[in-house]
Amino acid sequence: VEQWQLQDVLLTIWLLGFIGLCSYWFLGYWLVKRNTLAQSTPEGAHYKSLPEQLIVRRNTANTSPVLIGIYSPMLVLPQAFETLFSKEQQQLILEHEICHYQRGDSIWNTLALLILAVFWFHPLAWLAFYTFRQDQELSCDDFVLARKHRSSRISYSKALLVAAGQPSPMAFAQLSFKKYGDKQSMLERIKHIQTAG
């Protein structure tokens, strides 16, 4: 009887953790997407390098470029995108977001979050999720900088530093790619760019 009582307690704790995390992420995602839509307008001049089906919006808030959404993600660019970044940096940033978009990383991230919610009690699950997300960013960086000159790598590194200084619209929802765009992660990405080059 005591064993069954212990199992019931552990199951209840696990269930509360699972529901709590899923609710936290879903609510955060819903709130941020709603606020982003309220603070942004459709982009009139569509960039030629972007896929036609990718929705582009211009955020009136001062945020860094970010993909938001799961099945049909939209690209949200800051109002000062052309001011913050040079022409080359703009193209490199767009290529990075296109890489995420074409690989369907938003869907993979959602699946990874569900797995993390199931194993929320295990520290290795959190480490695996962080590593998974960081590898996503590094692989997109590698894709963007493949066969690029050293000057492009330097320019891209500077763009990462600028982006790190911009606030994230989805700092806790984690269904965007800016969650791993904080200063520490940006430094890791810049170090990777230098060593890969």
Side-chain angles (χ1 to χ4, degrees):
V1 177
E2 291 182 0
Q3 182 179 357
W4 281 108
Q5 289 178 343
L6 178 60
Q7 289 179 349
D8 289 342
V9 170
L10 293 177
L11 180 60
T12 301
I13 293 174
W14 173 84
L15 189 60
L16 289 174
F18 177 81
I19 294 175
L21 283 176
C22 288
S23 301
Y24 175 73
W25 285 323
F26 177 79
L27 179 62
Y29 169 75
W30 179 78
L31 287 174
V32 171
K33 188 171 183 180
R34 185 193 66 174
N35 292 339
T36 300
L37 287 173
Q39 297 176 357
S40 63
T41 56
E43 177 62 43
H46 193 76
Y47 291 87
K48 294 181 180 180
S49 60
L50 295 176
E52 292 184 4
Q53 63 272 28
L54 178 59
I55 300 172
V56 182
R57 298 184 68 89
R58 184 73 67 156
N59 199 332
T60 55
N62 190 27
T63 61
S64 63
V66 63
L67 275 177
I68 295 179
I70 302 175
Y71 295 109
S72 56
M74 60 181 174
L75 174 60
V76 181
L77 299 175
Q79 192 69 37
F81 184 58
E82 290 78 11
T83 304
L84 290 171
F85 306 101
S86 67
K87 290 284 186 180
E88 181 184 27
Q89 290 173 334
Q90 293 172 37
Q91 184 59 37
L92 293 172
I93 290 171
L94 293 178
E95 289 179 15
H96 181 97
E97 301 302 336
I98 291 172
C99 182
H100 281 304
Y101 176 78
Q102 292 180 335
R103 294 192 316 190
D105 282 345
S106 294
I107 296 176
W108 290 112
N109 289 344
T110 304
L111 179 61
L113 281 174
L114 289 175
I115 295 174
L116 178 61
V118 171
F119 297 99
W120 62 266
F121 55 88
H122 204 302
L124 287 180
W126 293 89
L127 178 61
F129 179 76
Y130 174 82
T131 303
F132 167 73
R133 289 291 294 108
Q134 187 68 8
D135 285 347
Q136 273 187 344
E137 295 302 321
L138 296 179
S139 65
C140 282
D141 289 342
D142 289 341
F143 175 82
V144 169
L145 296 174
R147 296 180 296 278
K148 293 287 197 308
H149 294 293
R150 181 173 177 81
S151 60
S152 295
R153 292 177 176 272
I154 296 174
S155 180
Y156 188 65
S157 297
K158 291 179 180 179
L160 292 180
L161 288 175
V162 173
Q166 307 303 312
S168 169
M170 300 191 76
F172 65 97
Q174 296 188 6
L175 288 179
S176 76
F177 304 103
K178 187 61 177 71
K179 170 65 183 176
Y180 292 89
D182 58 23
K183 292 183 179 179
Q184 181 59 38
S185 294
M186 286 296 188
L187 291 176
E188 291 178 13
R189 290 170 64 184
I190 292 172
K191 183 178 179 180
H192 174 78
I193 292 171
Q194 291 174 343
T195 55

